[in-house]
Amino acid sequence: MASTRLERQQIVISESESKRLIDLALAHAGKRVDGVEVTVTGSNFATSRFANNNMTQNQAPERVSVSVRVISGKRQIRLSSDDISQSGIEHLVDNAIKAVALLPEDPTVLPLPALALTEPLARDVDFNRYDRETGEMSADQRSDSVNSMIEAAKKHNLSCAGTYGAGGDSIAIGNSNGMFHYHNESACECSVTAVAANSSGWAKVHNPKSIHVDARALAESAAKNAILSADPKDVPPGKYTVILPPSAVVDLLGFLWGDFSATSHIDKLSSLLGKVGQKVFGENINIKDDVFHPMQAGARFDGEGLPRTVVTLVDKGVVKNLVYGRKSAAKMNAKPTGHGVSEPSPEGEFPVNLVMEGGTASIDEMVKSTDRGILLSRVWYVRLVDPTTILLTGMTRDGTFLIENGKISYGIKNLRFNVSVIDMLNNVLTLGPSVRAAGEDSFPAVVPALKVANFNFSSTTKF
């Protein structure tokens, strides 16, 4: 490659440098308080944006932050800073120690986890989620991917817009009980919308390795949907058999994940309250939180450094378990599962490595087996209407199609839906293979495409 091309150096903070900063903070705090926890995060995730078939923006932020949590009796506080100089960290620690004394006591504050709770996190060379090609991708390499998408759009006389990002992130956590963990990983995300005169198509992928993100193929997929959905026709609202691609599934199920948090049950906010051990979903629904799944991302430790465990959330439609942080585990006489968020937090814990078991049917096979139904490309602007049933409302977007007699007949105008996630998961007819999917309203998860009966569309649109 010519020497004029832009090069980019890896800047995500290393394990040794992260530990040096953590040790510096712990040493400065000394024995002035009962416990100190320090978190160091780094990121060099860079993004290239494009619109109207032209590159519009390049962002390459480089950031390292340090966060200090101080515990004094039944008081705790967390302060953060981007100043990682020795004086900056010492100033941060001093301010935290001063501030924590000003807070009222909180009887729910726990001491830092004992080292024995955090030590089982042994090093494992197989748990490597950092790909150097992705983590150190240059602006020129991102530009090449963007240009490939623009070329695809131009070939079909379409206009395209979207983003292509890549880089690395790291997190290290240590505390005054001697715990230290470090994790770094790479990520690549590509989203493209192809726009025609009266139609559009969209595609998105997120993966720890850029080799699994084929920008040109995504643009071709978005272009295909834009072309096929041209001159959309009206169809009446009502209940249809619907085929949801994984990107739509992940955005709808994202509203369910928080209901597996033990804290949401303590606060009586979960739609699954009182239903652990009961059959809530269809027999074909199986969901786990599995940080070790090969399509997953993220660290093996939680916000307090506890090892993440694999938790079966739903087995054959039965709600089997919740996830626990230390605080909720203490309140509910359970063991923490390694899903705690950084304290202090009202949220408590959250499942972040969701894996829904899939089947074998392709979307084409689902279409062929459907007499009359609707194929969605994505859901848009999804909002929660009723948290007790996870009733959602939202729109279809970027390519919605009527299926008749096992074939796609034509593109249709967008529809508004009102659907309960619990009802939806009781009406799943067919599942596709589980894949790592990315949407817009939830974080990526491993989910299948779904064919769902009685999906309720409440109104039509003019576009």
Side-chain angles (χ1 to χ4, degrees), residues 23-57:
D23 288 344
L24 173 62
L26 295 176
H28 185 68
K31 300 296 183 182
R32 289 185 284 168
V33 286
D34 297 324
V36 180
E37 176 190 275
V38 187
T39 304
V40 175
T41 57
S43 174
N44 68 351
F45 193 86
T47 304
S48 297
R49 299 178 184 275
F50 56 101
N52 299 321
N53 289 344
N54 286 292
M55 183 80 80
T56 58
Q57 185 184 56

PDB file of all heavy atoms in Angstrom, residues 23-57:
ATOM      1  N   ASP A  23      -2.944   0.370  40.677  1.00  0.00           N
ATOM      2  CA  ASP A  23      -2.079   0.291  41.861  1.00  0.00           C
ATOM      3  C   ASP A  23      -1.747   1.682  42.406  1.00  0.00           C
ATOM      4  O   ASP A  23      -1.654   1.878  43.625  1.00  0.00           O
ATOM      5  CB  ASP A  23      -0.792  -0.458  41.516  1.00  0.00           C
ATOM      6  CG  ASP A  23      -1.029  -1.949  41.313  1.00  0.00           C
ATOM      7  OD1 ASP A  23      -2.099  -2.437  41.726  1.00  0.00           O
ATOM      8  OD2 ASP A  23      -0.151  -2.613  40.731  1.00  0.00           O
ATOM      9  N   LEU A  24      -1.594   2.630  41.492  1.00  0.00           N
ATOM     10  CA  LEU A  24      -1.309   4.005  41.912  1.00  0.00           C
ATOM     11  C   LEU A  24      -2.466   4.554  42.747  1.00  0.00           C
ATOM     12  O   LEU A  24      -2.250   5.157  43.820  1.00  0.00           O
ATOM     13  CB  LEU A  24      -1.084   4.880  40.670  1.00  0.00           C
ATOM     14  CG  LEU A  24      -0.933   6.381  40.912  1.00  0.00           C
ATOM     15  CD1 LEU A  24       0.299   6.677  41.773  1.00  0.00           C
ATOM     16  CD2 LEU A  24      -0.833   7.133  39.573  1.00  0.00           C
ATOM     17  N   ALA A  25      -3.684   4.345  42.272  1.00  0.00           N
ATOM     18  CA  ALA A  25      -4.857   4.841  43.004  1.00  0.00           C
ATOM     19  C   ALA A  25      -5.004   4.138  44.352  1.00  0.00           C
ATOM     20  O   ALA A  25      -5.294   4.784  45.376  1.00  0.00           O
ATOM     21  CB  ALA A  25      -6.116   4.634  42.152  1.00  0.00           C
ATOM     22  N   LEU A  26      -4.825   2.806  44.363  1.00  0.00           N
ATOM     23  CA  LEU A  26      -4.976   2.051  45.616  1.00  0.00           C
ATOM     24  C   LEU A  26      -3.925   2.477  46.645  1.00  0.00           C
ATOM     25  O   LEU A  26      -4.225   2.626  47.831  1.00  0.00           O
ATOM     26  CB  LEU A  26      -4.872   0.555  45.328  1.00  0.00           C
ATOM     27  CG  LEU A  26      -5.987  -0.046  44.459  1.00  0.00           C
ATOM     28  CD1 LEU A  26      -5.705  -1.521  44.184  1.00  0.00           C
ATOM     29  CD2 LEU A  26      -7.353   0.118  45.122  1.00  0.00           C
ATOM     30  N   ALA A  27      -2.694   2.669  46.170  1.00  0.00           N
ATOM     31  CA  ALA A  27      -1.624   3.070  47.091  1.00  0.00           C
ATOM     32  C   ALA A  27      -1.876   4.450  47.666  1.00  0.00           C
ATOM     33  O   ALA A  27      -1.625   4.712  48.859  1.00  0.00           O
ATOM     34  CB  ALA A  27      -0.283   3.025  46.348  1.00  0.00           C
ATOM     35  N   HIS A  28      -2.401   5.342  46.824  1.00  0.00           N
ATOM     36  CA  HIS A  28      -2.643   6.702  47.306  1.00  0.00           C
ATOM     37  C   HIS A  28      -3.776   6.725  48.330  1.00  0.00           C
ATOM     38  O   HIS A  28      -3.740   7.498  49.287  1.00  0.00           O
ATOM     39  CB  HIS A  28      -2.973   7.624  46.135  1.00  0.00           C
ATOM     40  CG  HIS A  28      -3.108   9.058  46.544  1.00  0.00           C
ATOM     41  ND1 HIS A  28      -2.029   9.802  46.986  1.00  0.00           N
ATOM     42  CD2 HIS A  28      -4.194   9.876  46.598  1.00  0.00           C
ATOM     43  CE1 HIS A  28      -2.433  11.030  47.291  1.00  0.00           C
ATOM     44  NE2 HIS A  28      -3.746  11.095  47.070  1.00  0.00           N
ATOM     45  N   ALA A  29      -4.786   5.871  48.115  1.00  0.00           N
ATOM     46  CA  ALA A  29      -5.893   5.825  49.082  1.00  0.00           C
ATOM     47  C   ALA A  29      -5.436   5.241  50.417  1.00  0.00           C
ATOM     48  O   ALA A  29      -5.886   5.674  51.478  1.00  0.00           O
ATOM     49  CB  ALA A  29      -7.046   4.991  48.510  1.00  0.00           C
ATOM     50  N   GLY A  30      -4.538   4.272  50.344  1.00  0.00           N
ATOM     51  CA  GLY A  30      -4.030   3.657  51.573  1.00  0.00           C
ATOM     52  C   GLY A  30      -5.142   3.091  52.436  1.00  0.00           C
ATOM     53  O   GLY A  30      -6.070   2.459  51.930  1.00  0.00           O
ATOM     54  N   LYS A  31      -5.059   3.343  53.716  1.00  0.00           N
ATOM     55  CA  LYS A  31      -6.041   2.807  54.664  1.00  0.00           C
ATOM     56  C   LYS A  31      -7.010   3.886  55.131  1.00  0.00           C
ATOM     57  O   LYS A  31      -7.653   3.748  56.180  1.00  0.00           O
ATOM     58  CB  LYS A  31      -5.312   2.224  55.878  1.00  0.00           C
ATOM     59  CG  LYS A  31      -4.341   1.102  55.545  1.00  0.00           C
ATOM     60  CD  LYS A  31      -5.059  -0.122  54.974  1.00  0.00           C
ATOM     61  CE  LYS A  31      -4.079  -1.256  54.729  1.00  0.00           C
ATOM     62  NZ  LYS A  31      -4.743  -2.450  54.120  1.00  0.00           N
ATOM     63  N   ARG A  32      -7.139   4.946  54.354  1.00  0.00           N
ATOM     64  CA  ARG A  32      -7.995   6.048  54.789  1.00  0.00           C
ATOM     65  C   ARG A  32      -9.482   5.701  54.751  1.00  0.00           C
ATOM     66  O   ARG A  32     -10.299   6.380  55.365  1.00  0.00           O
ATOM     67  CB  ARG A  32      -7.733   7.294  53.912  1.00  0.00           C
ATOM     68  CG  ARG A  32      -6.378   7.951  54.171  1.00  0.00           C
ATOM     69  CD  ARG A  32      -6.240   9.225  53.358  1.00  0.00           C
ATOM     70  NE  ARG A  32      -5.975   8.951  51.952  1.00  0.00           N
ATOM     71  CZ  ARG A  32      -6.032   9.875  51.000  1.00  0.00           C
ATOM     72  NH1 ARG A  32      -6.399  11.107  51.310  1.00  0.00           N
ATOM     73  NH2 ARG A  32      -5.740   9.558  49.744  1.00  0.00           N
ATOM     74  N   VAL A  33      -9.861   4.687  53.951  1.00  0.00           N
ATOM     75  CA  VAL A  33     -11.264   4.245  53.880  1.00  0.00           C
ATOM     76  C   VAL A  33     -11.290   2.729  53.983  1.00  0.00           C
ATOM     77  O   VAL A  33     -10.251   2.059  53.995  1.00  0.00           O
ATOM     78  CB  VAL A  33     -11.932   4.717  52.570  1.00  0.00           C
ATOM     79  CG1 VAL A  33     -12.215   6.203  52.617  1.00  0.00           C
ATOM     80  CG2 VAL A  33     -11.077   4.350  51.375  1.00  0.00           C
ATOM     81  N   ASP A  34     -12.518   2.165  54.023  1.00  0.00           N
ATOM     82  CA  ASP A  34     -12.654   0.721  54.224  1.00  0.00           C
ATOM     83  C   ASP A  34     -12.410  -0.091  52.950  1.00  0.00           C
ATOM     84  O   ASP A  34     -12.108  -1.285  53.030  1.00  0.00           O
ATOM     85  CB  ASP A  34     -14.058   0.407  54.763  1.00  0.00           C
ATOM     86  CG  ASP A  34     -14.283   1.043  56.122  1.00  0.00           C
ATOM     87  OD1 ASP A  34     -13.323   1.097  56.920  1.00  0.00           O
ATOM     88  OD2 ASP A  34     -15.415   1.508  56.374  1.00  0.00           O
ATOM     89  N   GLY A  35     -12.601   0.525  51.806  1.00  0.00           N
ATOM     90  CA  GLY A  35     -12.405  -0.213  50.563  1.00  0.00           C
ATOM     91  C   GLY A  35     -12.320   0.722  49.379  1.00  0.00           C
ATOM     92  O   GLY A  35     -12.982   1.779  49.349  1.00  0.00           O
ATOM     93  N   VAL A  36     -11.490   0.353  48.402  1.00  0.00           N
ATOM     94  CA  VAL A  36     -11.354   1.147  47.173  1.00  0.00           C
ATOM     95  C   VAL A  36     -11.375   0.196  45.984  1.00  0.00           C
ATOM     96  O   VAL A  36     -10.683  -0.828  45.989  1.00  0.00           O
ATOM     97  CB  VAL A  36     -10.038   1.959  47.154  1.00  0.00           C
ATOM     98  CG1 VAL A  36      -9.942   2.775  45.863  1.00  0.00           C
ATOM     99  CG2 VAL A  36      -9.954   2.863  48.360  1.00  0.00           C
ATOM    100  N   GLU A  37     -12.164   0.542  44.993  1.00  0.00           N
ATOM    101  CA  GLU A  37     -12.235  -0.215  43.742  1.00  0.00           C
ATOM    102  C   GLU A  37     -11.910   0.757  42.604  1.00  0.00           C
ATOM    103  O   GLU A  37     -12.425   1.876  42.577  1.00  0.00           O
ATOM    104  CB  GLU A  37     -13.638  -0.788  43.559  1.00  0.00           C
ATOM    105  CG  GLU A  37     -13.868  -1.526  42.249  1.00  0.00           C
ATOM    106  CD  GLU A  37     -15.348  -1.820  42.084  1.00  0.00           C
ATOM    107  OE1 GLU A  37     -15.816  -2.842  42.620  1.00  0.00           O
ATOM    108  OE2 GLU A  37     -16.050  -0.998  41.425  1.00  0.00           O
ATOM    109  N   VAL A  38     -11.061   0.342  41.695  1.00  0.00           N
ATOM    110  CA  VAL A  38     -10.637   1.217  40.596  1.00  0.00           C
ATOM    111  C   VAL A  38     -10.896   0.509  39.271  1.00  0.00           C
ATOM    112  O   VAL A  38     -10.534  -0.656  39.105  1.00  0.00           O
ATOM    113  CB  VAL A  38      -9.148   1.581  40.710  1.00  0.00           C
ATOM    114  CG1 VAL A  38      -8.779   2.615  39.656  1.00  0.00           C
ATOM    115  CG2 VAL A  38      -8.829   2.097  42.103  1.00  0.00           C
ATOM    116  N   THR A  39     -11.509   1.224  38.342  1.00  0.00           N
ATOM    117  CA  THR A  39     -11.773   0.692  37.000  1.00  0.00           C
ATOM    118  C   THR A  39     -11.104   1.598  35.976  1.00  0.00           C
ATOM    119  O   THR A  39     -11.246   2.822  36.036  1.00  0.00           O
ATOM    120  CB  THR A  39     -13.283   0.625  36.719  1.00  0.00           C
ATOM    121  OG1 THR A  39     -13.913  -0.160  37.735  1.00  0.00           O
ATOM    122  CG2 THR A  39     -13.550  -0.003  35.362  1.00  0.00           C
ATOM    123  N   VAL A  40     -10.371   0.999  35.043  1.00  0.00           N
ATOM    124  CA  VAL A  40      -9.718   1.746  33.955  1.00  0.00           C
ATOM    125  C   VAL A  40     -10.283   1.244  32.633  1.00  0.00           C
ATOM    126  O   VAL A  40     -10.257   0.038  32.355  1.00  0.00           O
ATOM    127  CB  VAL A  40      -8.199   1.553  33.981  1.00  0.00           C
ATOM    128  CG1 VAL A  40      -7.548   2.240  32.780  1.00  0.00           C
ATOM    129  CG2 VAL A  40      -7.615   2.109  35.282  1.00  0.00           C
ATOM    130  N   THR A  41     -10.830   2.148  31.835  1.00  0.00           N
ATOM    131  CA  THR A  41     -11.373   1.776  30.532  1.00  0.00           C
ATOM    132  C   THR A  41     -10.645   2.531  29.432  1.00  0.00           C
ATOM    133  O   THR A  41     -10.209   3.668  29.615  1.00  0.00           O
ATOM    134  CB  THR A  41     -12.875   2.091  30.440  1.00  0.00           C
ATOM    135  OG1 THR A  41     -13.074   3.483  30.715  1.00  0.00           O
ATOM    136  CG2 THR A  41     -13.671   1.264  31.427  1.00  0.00           C
ATOM    137  N   GLY A  42     -10.518   1.881  28.285  1.00  0.00           N
ATOM    138  CA  GLY A  42      -9.883   2.507  27.126  1.00  0.00           C
ATOM    139  C   GLY A  42     -10.649   2.176  25.867  1.00  0.00           C
ATOM    140  O   GLY A  42     -11.297   1.135  25.771  1.00  0.00           O
ATOM    141  N   SER A  43     -10.605   3.065  24.893  1.00  0.00           N
ATOM    142  CA  SER A  43     -11.298   2.822  23.621  1.00  0.00           C
ATOM    143  C   SER A  43     -10.623   3.601  22.501  1.00  0.00           C
ATOM    144  O   SER A  43     -10.185   4.740  22.689  1.00  0.00           O
ATOM    145  CB  SER A  43     -12.767   3.250  23.725  1.00  0.00           C
ATOM    146  OG  SER A  43     -13.405   3.146  22.460  1.00  0.00           O
ATOM    147  N   ASN A  44     -10.511   2.965  21.350  1.00  0.00           N
ATOM    148  CA  ASN A  44     -10.093   3.684  20.141  1.00  0.00           C
ATOM    149  C   ASN A  44     -11.047   3.367  18.983  1.00  0.00           C
ATOM    150  O   ASN A  44     -10.637   3.330  17.829  1.00  0.00           O
ATOM    151  CB  ASN A  44      -8.654   3.339  19.755  1.00  0.00           C
ATOM    152  CG  ASN A  44      -8.506   1.894  19.298  1.00  0.00           C
ATOM    153  OD1 ASN A  44      -9.442   1.111  19.418  1.00  0.00           O
ATOM    154  ND2 ASN A  44      -7.350   1.542  18.779  1.00  0.00           N
ATOM    155  N   PHE A  45     -12.313   3.104  19.332  1.00  0.00           N
ATOM    156  CA  PHE A  45     -13.304   2.771  18.306  1.00  0.00           C
ATOM    157  C   PHE A  45     -13.537   3.986  17.411  1.00  0.00           C
ATOM    158  O   PHE A  45     -13.942   5.047  17.875  1.00  0.00           O
ATOM    159  CB  PHE A  45     -14.614   2.326  18.957  1.00  0.00           C
ATOM    160  CG  PHE A  45     -15.565   1.685  17.981  1.00  0.00           C
ATOM    161  CD1 PHE A  45     -15.476   0.331  17.699  1.00  0.00           C
ATOM    162  CD2 PHE A  45     -16.529   2.443  17.335  1.00  0.00           C
ATOM    163  CE1 PHE A  45     -16.349  -0.268  16.801  1.00  0.00           C
ATOM    164  CE2 PHE A  45     -17.401   1.848  16.439  1.00  0.00           C
ATOM    165  CZ  PHE A  45     -17.313   0.498  16.167  1.00  0.00           C
ATOM    166  N   ALA A  46     -13.268   3.818  16.126  1.00  0.00           N
ATOM    167  CA  ALA A  46     -13.350   4.915  15.156  1.00  0.00           C
ATOM    168  C   ALA A  46     -14.483   4.651  14.177  1.00  0.00           C
ATOM    169  O   ALA A  46     -14.784   3.496  13.838  1.00  0.00           O
ATOM    170  CB  ALA A  46     -12.035   5.052  14.410  1.00  0.00           C
ATOM    171  N   THR A  47     -15.109   5.714  13.711  1.00  0.00           N
ATOM    172  CA  THR A  47     -16.291   5.577  12.852  1.00  0.00           C
ATOM    173  C   THR A  47     -16.162   6.452  11.617  1.00  0.00           C
ATOM    174  O   THR A  47     -15.742   7.611  11.701  1.00  0.00           O
ATOM    175  CB  THR A  47     -17.559   5.993  13.614  1.00  0.00           C
ATOM    176  OG1 THR A  47     -17.654   5.224  14.805  1.00  0.00           O
ATOM    177  CG2 THR A  47     -18.799   5.770  12.769  1.00  0.00           C
ATOM    178  N   SER A  48     -16.535   5.882  10.475  1.00  0.00           N
ATOM    179  CA  SER A  48     -16.652   6.647   9.232  1.00  0.00           C
ATOM    180  C   SER A  48     -18.121   6.680   8.841  1.00  0.00           C
ATOM    181  O   SER A  48     -18.772   5.634   8.795  1.00  0.00           O
ATOM    182  CB  SER A  48     -15.830   5.992   8.112  1.00  0.00           C
ATOM    183  OG  SER A  48     -14.459   6.003   8.440  1.00  0.00           O
ATOM    184  N   ARG A  49     -18.623   7.880   8.578  1.00  0.00           N
ATOM    185  CA  ARG A  49     -20.036   8.034   8.208  1.00  0.00           C
ATOM    186  C   ARG A  49     -20.129   8.460   6.747  1.00  0.00           C
ATOM    187  O   ARG A  49     -19.244   9.163   6.234  1.00  0.00           O
ATOM    188  CB  ARG A  49     -20.712   9.081   9.093  1.00  0.00           C
ATOM    189  CG  ARG A  49     -20.693   8.729  10.569  1.00  0.00           C
ATOM    190  CD  ARG A  49     -21.342   9.825  11.412  1.00  0.00           C
ATOM    191  NE  ARG A  49     -21.239   9.534  12.826  1.00  0.00           N
ATOM    192  CZ  ARG A  49     -22.101   8.774  13.501  1.00  0.00           C
ATOM    193  NH1 ARG A  49     -23.142   8.272  12.874  1.00  0.00           N
ATOM    194  NH2 ARG A  49     -21.925   8.537  14.785  1.00  0.00           N
ATOM    195  N   PHE A  50     -21.233   8.074   6.106  1.00  0.00           N
ATOM    196  CA  PHE A  50     -21.436   8.449   4.711  1.00  0.00           C
ATOM    197  C   PHE A  50     -22.920   8.691   4.467  1.00  0.00           C
ATOM    198  O   PHE A  50     -23.782   8.148   5.166  1.00  0.00           O
ATOM    199  CB  PHE A  50     -20.889   7.375   3.770  1.00  0.00           C
ATOM    200  CG  PHE A  50     -21.450   5.990   4.005  1.00  0.00           C
ATOM    201  CD1 PHE A  50     -22.452   5.496   3.193  1.00  0.00           C
ATOM    202  CD2 PHE A  50     -20.977   5.186   5.040  1.00  0.00           C
ATOM    203  CE1 PHE A  50     -22.971   4.216   3.399  1.00  0.00           C
ATOM    204  CE2 PHE A  50     -21.495   3.912   5.255  1.00  0.00           C
ATOM    205  CZ  PHE A  50     -22.496   3.425   4.436  1.00  0.00           C
ATOM    206  N   ALA A  51     -23.203   9.539   3.472  1.00  0.00           N
ATOM    207  CA  ALA A  51     -24.591   9.855   3.103  1.00  0.00           C
ATOM    208  C   ALA A  51     -24.593  10.363   1.671  1.00  0.00           C
ATOM    209  O   ALA A  51     -23.597  10.941   1.193  1.00  0.00           O
ATOM    210  CB  ALA A  51     -25.175  10.909   4.036  1.00  0.00           C
ATOM    211  N   ASN A  52     -25.710  10.148   0.974  1.00  0.00           N
ATOM    212  CA  ASN A  52     -25.837  10.577  -0.423  1.00  0.00           C
ATOM    213  C   ASN A  52     -24.659  10.112  -1.263  1.00  0.00           C
ATOM    214  O   ASN A  52     -24.137  10.838  -2.112  1.00  0.00           O
ATOM    215  CB  ASN A  52     -25.978  12.103  -0.502  1.00  0.00           C
ATOM    216  CG  ASN A  52     -27.208  12.601   0.219  1.00  0.00           C
ATOM    217  OD1 ASN A  52     -28.264  11.970   0.167  1.00  0.00           O
ATOM    218  ND2 ASN A  52     -27.067  13.716   0.929  1.00  0.00           N
ATOM    219  N   ASN A  53     -24.212   8.909  -0.995  1.00  0.00           N
ATOM    220  CA  ASN A  53     -23.104   8.281  -1.742  1.00  0.00           C
ATOM    221  C   ASN A  53     -21.781   9.032  -1.609  1.00  0.00           C
ATOM    222  O   ASN A  53     -20.943   8.993  -2.521  1.00  0.00           O
ATOM    223  CB  ASN A  53     -23.465   8.125  -3.226  1.00  0.00           C
ATOM    224  CG  ASN A  53     -24.513   7.055  -3.446  1.00  0.00           C
ATOM    225  OD1 ASN A  53     -24.771   6.234  -2.560  1.00  0.00           O
ATOM    226  ND2 ASN A  53     -25.122   7.052  -4.620  1.00  0.00           N
ATOM    227  N   ASN A  54     -21.590   9.727  -0.491  1.00  0.00           N
ATOM    228  CA  ASN A  54     -20.325  10.427  -0.231  1.00  0.00           C
ATOM    229  C   ASN A  54     -19.921  10.249   1.231  1.00  0.00           C
ATOM    230  O   ASN A  54     -20.782  10.227   2.119  1.00  0.00           O
ATOM    231  CB  ASN A  54     -20.470  11.927  -0.525  1.00  0.00           C
ATOM    232  CG  ASN A  54     -20.517  12.224  -1.994  1.00  0.00           C
ATOM    233  OD1 ASN A  54     -19.528  12.056  -2.712  1.00  0.00           O
ATOM    234  ND2 ASN A  54     -21.684  12.664  -2.464  1.00  0.00           N
ATOM    235  N   MET A  55     -18.621  10.174   1.454  1.00  0.00           N
ATOM    236  CA  MET A  55     -18.125  10.157   2.833  1.00  0.00           C
ATOM    237  C   MET A  55     -18.386  11.523   3.455  1.00  0.00           C
ATOM    238  O   MET A  55     -18.130  12.569   2.838  1.00  0.00           O
ATOM    239  CB  MET A  55     -16.625   9.875   2.846  1.00  0.00           C
ATOM    240  CG  MET A  55     -16.026   9.772   4.216  1.00  0.00           C
ATOM    241  SD  MET A  55     -16.299   8.166   4.980  1.00  0.00           S
ATOM    242  CE  MET A  55     -14.994   7.222   4.166  1.00  0.00           C
ATOM    243  N   THR A  56     -18.907  11.534   4.664  1.00  0.00           N
ATOM    244  CA  THR A  56     -19.247  12.804   5.302  1.00  0.00           C
ATOM    245  C   THR A  56     -18.462  13.076   6.575  1.00  0.00           C
ATOM    246  O   THR A  56     -18.312  14.223   6.980  1.00  0.00           O
ATOM    247  CB  THR A  56     -20.746  12.846   5.658  1.00  0.00           C
ATOM    248  OG1 THR A  56     -21.044  11.736   6.524  1.00  0.00           O
ATOM    249  CG2 THR A  56     -21.602  12.777   4.405  1.00  0.00           C
ATOM    250  N   GLN A  57     -17.958  12.032   7.241  1.00  0.00           N
ATOM    251  CA  GLN A  57     -17.324  12.283   8.542  1.00  0.00           C
ATOM    252  C   GLN A  57     -16.440  11.116   8.947  1.00  0.00           C
ATOM    253  O   GLN A  57     -16.782   9.953   8.704  1.00  0.00           O
ATOM    254  CB  GLN A  57     -18.415  12.478   9.601  1.00  0.00           C
ATOM    255  CG  GLN A  57     -17.901  12.874  10.976  1.00  0.00           C
ATOM    256  CD  GLN A  57     -19.025  12.958  11.989  1.00  0.00           C
ATOM    257  OE1 GLN A  57     -19.761  12.008  12.205  1.00  0.00           O
ATOM    258  NE2 GLN A  57     -19.155  14.109  12.611  1.00  0.00           N
TER     259      GLN A  57
END
